[in-house]
Amino acid sequence: MFEIRIICDTSDVPRVAQAVLGSVDATSIRRYPARDPAGTRLYITADHRGSHAGCTVCAQDGMALWLRLDGSEQRRPCTGIGEEDMLAAGLLLGARRSEPWTANDDRSTEAPF
Ligand SMILES: [Zn+2]
């Protein structure tokens, strides 16, 4: 388990979040304003990326569709976080709020049927 701290332009949050979250298995994400009014701070608690065999976000292949700035979609590494949770955490285009996100521990104990 480790923590990733990011300070970036607020407009870059969706791209930065996808790149970082597609590389790890996040367990919590907090988003705050930076000292620079145009900036954002992200605190991501994560573990090394594991298998997506039980993932409910992707087709269990570790890849997912990602909305690009021009409105098109692209297959990118799965973040393991559903779109509504990404939106609620303020990590997608058009997000109007940002709430801390914490992984649901049910992932590892979910019944196979
Ligand atoms: Zn996945």
Side-chain angles (χ1 to χ4, degrees):
M1 192 80 69
F2 48 88
E3 184 167 86
I4 303 166
R5 299 176 189 194
I6 299 167
I7 299 173
C8 65
D9 286 347
T10 300
S11 61
D12 282 340
V13 166
R15 285 184 293 172
V16 169
Q18 198 283 329
V20 173
L21 296 172
S23 304
V24 298
D25 286 342
T27 55
S28 76
I29 304 166
R30 283 116 34 233
R31 177 183 168 166
Y32 305 103
R35 285 187 190 168
D36 174 353
T40 293
R41 293 180 293 144
L42 296 175
Y43 296 87
I44 301 168
T45 304
D47 212 332
H48 298 285
R49 186 175 170 95
S51 165
H52 278 236
C55 184
T56 57
V57 176
C58 65
Q60 303 187 5
D61 61 354
M63 297 297 286
L65 289 177
W66 187 256
L67 185 63
R68 300 173 71 187
L69 287 172
D70 65 5
S72 63
E73 292 180 328
Q74 183 181 45
R75 278 177 58 81
R76 292 188 180 177
C78 175
T79 63
I81 305 169
E83 189 171 332
E84 287 188 20
D85 286 339
M86 290 284 284
L87 195 58
L91 303 176
L92 292 182
L93 291 173
R96 296 178 188 277
R97 57 198 169 107
S98 60
E99 301 169 357
W101 174 86
T102 302
N104 183 349
D105 287 338
D106 293 351
R107 287 185 304 184
S108 58
T109 58
E110 204 164 297
F113 299 106

